[in-house]
Amino acid sequence: MSFRAKLLAFFTLTIVGAVTLVAWGVTIYTRRAFEQFDAERTAALVAQFHREFTQQGDEIANRVQGIADAEATLRMAMDLNRPQSDASQYYNDARGLAQTQQLDFLDIVGNDGALISSSEWPARFGYKNDWVAATEDWNSKSAFLQRVELPENVDLGLLAVRVVRVGEKRLYLIGGRRLNQDFLATLVLPTGMRAMLYRNLEVEFVPAELTDSSGAVAQADRLASLIAEVRSKPKDTEEIIEWGPDAADAETFDAIPLTGRQNDLLGVLLVGSSRRNLVGLINFIRSLTLLVGGGAILLALALGWWVSARVTQPIEALAQGAREVAAGRWNARVDVRSEDEFGQLATAFNDMTRQLAEQREHLVQTERVAAWRELARRLAHELKNPLFPLQLTLENLQRAREQTAEQFDEIFFESMATLRAELDNLKKIVGRFSDFAKMPTPEFEPVNLNDTVRSAVKLFEPQFGAVGRPPILPELYLADGIANPKADPVLLRRALENLIVNSLDAMPAGGTLTVRTSQFNGSVRLEVADTGAGLTPEECQRLFTPYYTSKRHGTGLGLAIVQSVVSDHGGKISVESAPGAGTTFKIELPLDPPQSARPPVRPANSRADAA
């Protein structure tokens, strides 16, 4: 991925991340604020329920107290206090009193707890209500929830008990009203909220016992788990109820347990708050986030494109300039269009290339002079050896003129043989320098490297065990199945022969010549090692320099020719050596030399010249 693409991605991801983070934060804050507001509304509604509960309880207590304070009730109590009194004569009094005081329930209970009269179930005359006689201070107690049994079912009532005392006897009045949808209708509900009452009068969950201000609740079964949780642990509980696939139809329900005088769970108040506003607000935030995010992404792309162009164009120009310098154009320049850091960098680059060009020119001149001096030194050294015998031969011929004809002829023929030998030596020296100067262009074709090694080593077999010379043992380690690299077979064999000659010269006392072939990473490797005296690090560094040699006799062109051949094949050559540890030359050749590695076509030379 380019730097410009990375910069664009960075800007885009940064802005998208920022928008997403802000949207997430706003959503969380909105949800919490809504939940807090919803909790406050629920608490207010519950408080209103308790106020209404207390208010109606007080009203019921006042109405029952009014019955207790009535003269008729006092006469009834006095009459029932007489011996042999007949309680049945008051069998129907409770119904009339309940209607007068607008009570749903009214029971008149005697001192022994026996029912004297009941407005809701007269047939229970004489039924014992022991619980009412167990408490003495009913007049100081407020209303409470109580399970009320009816002829056909069971109901939930808000009851109050008052006592009429006549001597040591008591007359108990139990009056109350139903706690049902009429009670819920008295509550003032905020928009989006509703109240429900579940009358916990049966062992199992009964959907019909769940009502709101309008009556039965649809899909009451969905609230069964919430009510079951409250029944198992009577405490305030909250749960989100999904009424359908649309999340906006969901409601948050708070369940508040309603207990009787003995802390038994008799009902559950459910306060529901619609989540439609919250869902709508969150959807609005998400839509706004997508809209803002889309705009931010476009802005990020535009800004990122501008900034990346502003940043990367100078860098690309510098990179192009660096590639030109690497390709050999030392006078490459970069346009300076600003005075900021990029402009200063471009100016510094231009100064660097200018100095490099000046230093290169100076270095080229210095190396050129050094090369000519080295060439002159090598030529003088090589030519001096045959010239000295030529001079002595000519001087002998000059002195032979003063002798007899027979002696002159003998000296003449000997001198001519010496002259021919030294002239041949001069010709060979000139030929070696000429060969190096006109190295032919490689002609690439698949070459079997192992066969080339065997052929080259076989050429030197007579020298390995030559009479009067310490033996040299050749060892070949040729890898099987290696690929055939594309190479010039003649030049490759010439390079190998030069390495073998170099190894033989390094082992005048005999030793081992080792040649290895191998293949790895798309290349083939050729190693030629000897057990000679080895080379110093300084000698290794100068080993491939033309006309340099560590031998007493030699032109210093053998290894230079090897390096030239390897370079023309797009390969690499290296040397590993240390004094007393022998020398190893390693050549790595690509299986298919790239076009850029292949040398340009040199002036036409015949293959015979190369040989």
Side-chain angles (χ1 to χ4, degrees):
M1 181 182 290
S2 65
F3 178 73
R4 175 175 293 183
K6 291 180 180 178
L7 203 57
L8 283 174
F10 172 76
F11 271 99
T12 303
L13 292 177
T14 299
I15 293 183
V16 170
V19 172
T20 303
L21 183 62
V22 171
W24 176 80
V26 171
T27 302
I28 295 297
Y29 175 80
T30 302
R31 187 185 300 276
R32 290 179 178 176
F34 181 87
E35 290 175 351
Q36 182 178 358
F37 176 68
D38 189 53
E40 292 175 354
R41 293 200 306 169
T42 300
L45 185 57
V46 172
Q48 182 187 169
F49 173 85
H50 286 301
R51 286 195 303 270
E52 187 67 24
F53 185 90
T54 303
Q55 181 179 348
Q56 291 205 23
D58 292 342
E59 182 181 352
I60 292 171
N62 290 333
R63 291 179 182 274
V64 175
Q65 186 65 49
I67 297 174
D69 293 339
E71 183 178 353
T73 305
L74 182 60
R75 286 197 304 268
M76 180 191 304
M78 294 173 64
D79 181 52
L80 292 173
N81 194 33
R82 291 195 305 268
Q84 304 300 322
S85 61
D86 184 11
S88 62
Q89 61 180 322
Y90 303 107
Y91 180 81
N92 293 318
D93 287 8
R95 180 172 296 178
L97 292 173
Q99 292 177 355
T100 302
Q101 295 295 331
Q102 297 180 350
L103 297 174
D104 296 325
F105 313 113
L106 181 61
D107 290 340
I108 301 174
V109 180
N111 185 67
D112 58 353
L115 182 64
I116 296 173
S117 179
S118 174
S119 64
E120 68 275 8
W121 198 351
R124 295 190 76 187
F125 177 81
Y127 180 80
K128 288 288 187 177
N129 290 318
D130 295 331
W131 62 271
V132 70
T135 304
E136 298 182 353
D137 57 344
W138 281 113
N139 290 341
S140 63
K141 294 185 177 299
S142 59
F144 58 89
L145 285 178
Q146 179 73 22
R147 174 190 177 96
V148 180
E149 294 184 4
L150 301 175
E152 297 180 356
N153 54 20
V154 181
D155 210 339
L156 181 63
L158 179 58
L159 306 180
V161 180
R162 291 296 179 261
V163 182
V164 178
R165 294 177 182 271
V166 177
E168 295 298 326
K169 300 296 182 70
R170 297 178 180 83
L171 183 66
Y172 299 97
L173 301 174
I174 307 172
R177 290 176 179 170
R178 289 183 176 87
L179 192 67
N180 55 14
Q181 63 194 58
D182 296 333
F183 179 85
L184 296 177
T186 62
L187 301 177
V188 179
L189 300 176
T191 304
M193 298 190 71
R194 62 173 172 166
M196 299 180 185
L197 177 65
Y198 177 74
R199 297 180 299 179
N200 187 40
L201 305 175
E202 302 293 341
V203 177
E204 301 294 334
F205 174 76
V206 180
E209 296 294 340
L210 182 64
T211 62
D212 58 13
S213 59
S214 59
V217 177
Q219 297 181 319
D221 291 337
R222 291 185 177 272
L223 293 165
S225 60
L226 176 59
I227 294 175
E229 185 175 355
V230 177
R231 293 177 68 177
S232 63
K233 291 183 179 181
K235 64 177 183 179
D236 293 357
T237 307
E238 180 181 309
E239 184 178 336
I240 297 176
I241 304 299
E242 302 285 347
W243 297 110
D246 189 359
D249 293 335
E251 287 182 273
T252 301
F253 277 93
D254 287 272
I256 298 91
L258 303 176
T259 58
R261 59 187 181 83
Q262 294 181 337
N263 291 325
D264 50 333
L265 183 67
L266 296 177
V268 180
L269 175 66
L270 295 103
V271 179
S273 177
S274 174
R275 299 177 64 86
R276 182 172 297 276
N277 292 335
L278 175 62
V279 173
L281 186 58
I282 292 177
N283 290 337
F284 172 75
I285 293 174
R286 290 175 179 172
S287 300
L288 184 62
T289 300
L290 292 176
L291 181 62
V292 174
I297 291 175
L298 294 178
L299 178 62
L301 290 175
L303 182 62
W305 181 263
W306 180 82
V307 172
S308 63
R310 181 77 175 86
V311 172
T312 58
Q313 284 181 355
I315 296 178
E316 291 175 352
L318 288 172
Q320 180 61 30
R323 285 192 290 269
E324 292 181 2
V325 171
R329 292 186 55 190
W330 298 88
N331 58 346
R333 294 292 183 270
V334 176
D335 293 338
V336 181
R337 299 181 180 179
S338 62
E339 297 182 358
D340 54 12
E341 289 80 359
F342 294 110
Q344 296 174 7
L345 183 60
T347 301
F349 179 83
N350 292 337
D351 292 340
M352 179 192 70
T353 56
R354 177 180 55 78
Q355 294 176 9
L356 285 176
E358 294 175 356
Q359 293 176 3
R360 177 179 178 277
E361 183 63 27
H362 177 71
L363 182 62
V364 167
Q365 293 178 1
T366 302
E367 289 182 349
R368 186 181 295 117
V369 172
W372 279 110
R373 287 178 178 174
E374 181 66 18
L375 176 60
R377 186 184 70 81
R378 298 305 305 171
L379 282 174
H381 176 75
E382 292 295 326
L383 295 177
K384 184 187 298 182
N385 292 331
L387 287 177
F388 182 70
L390 288 175
Q391 182 180 358
L392 291 179
T393 301
L394 291 176
E395 290 176 355
N396 288 336
L397 285 174
Q398 187 175 5
R399 286 194 298 269
R401 291 183 59 190
E402 300 175 357
Q403 298 181 9
T404 61
E406 292 80 3
Q407 293 175 335
F408 176 79
D409 289 340
E410 181 181 356
I411 294 174
F412 176 78
F413 288 114
E414 291 178 357
S415 299
M416 290 302 295
T418 301
L419 288 175
R420 290 191 182 93
E422 295 303 328
L423 287 175
D424 289 339
N425 191 15
L426 281 175
K427 184 177 179 181
K428 292 179 180 178
I429 293 173
V430 173
R432 285 196 296 270
F433 279 93
S434 177
D435 288 344
F436 180 72
K438 57 179 182 179
M439 287 290 293
T441 302
E443 297 179 3
F444 292 97
E445 62 181 69
V447 175
N448 190 311
L449 186 59
N450 291 342
D451 290 347
T452 302
V453 170
R454 294 188 187 96
S455 175
V457 172
K458 187 175 182 180
L459 180 66
F460 292 91
E461 286 181 354
Q463 301 183 35
F464 294 154
V467 179
R469 165 171 187 165
I472 293 177
L473 176 64
E475 294 183 353
L476 305 183
Y477 300 94
L478 308 181
D480 295 331
I482 63 174
N484 296 333
K486 289 185 178 181
D488 188 309
V490 176
L491 293 180
L492 187 59
R493 176 168 175 171
R494 180 179 178 184
L496 180 58
E497 290 174 356
N498 282 341
L499 289 178
I500 294 175
V501 169
N502 188 80
S503 296
L504 295 178
D505 293 341
M507 296 184 291
T512 302
L513 172 68
T514 303
V515 183
R516 290 185 174 88
T517 61
S518 60
Q519 178 178 342
F520 73 104
N521 295 337
S523 302
V524 292
R525 174 180 288 179
L526 173 64
E527 296 182 16
V528 178
D530 62 63
T531 57
L535 302 171
T536 64
E538 293 77 11
E539 290 174 332
C540 290
Q541 292 179 356
R542 300 187 60 191
L543 201 57
F544 298 105
T545 303
Y547 315 116
Y548 170 79
T549 180
S550 59
K551 307 172 187 176
R552 178 173 300 179
H553 301 287
T555 61
L557 296 177
L559 294 180
I561 291 174
V562 174
Q563 186 184 43
S564 177
V565 172
V566 173
S567 177
D568 287 349
H569 284 72
K572 295 184 297 182
I573 184 171
S574 60
V575 60
E576 295 179 0
S577 183
T583 303
T584 300
F585 290 92
K586 296 181 180 180
I587 296 177
E588 293 182 12
L589 298 176
L591 295 178
D592 188 9
Q595 294 295 329
S596 58
R598 298 184 181 184
V601 178
R602 299 189 180 98
N605 295 299
S606 65
R607 181 63 68 183
D609 293 337

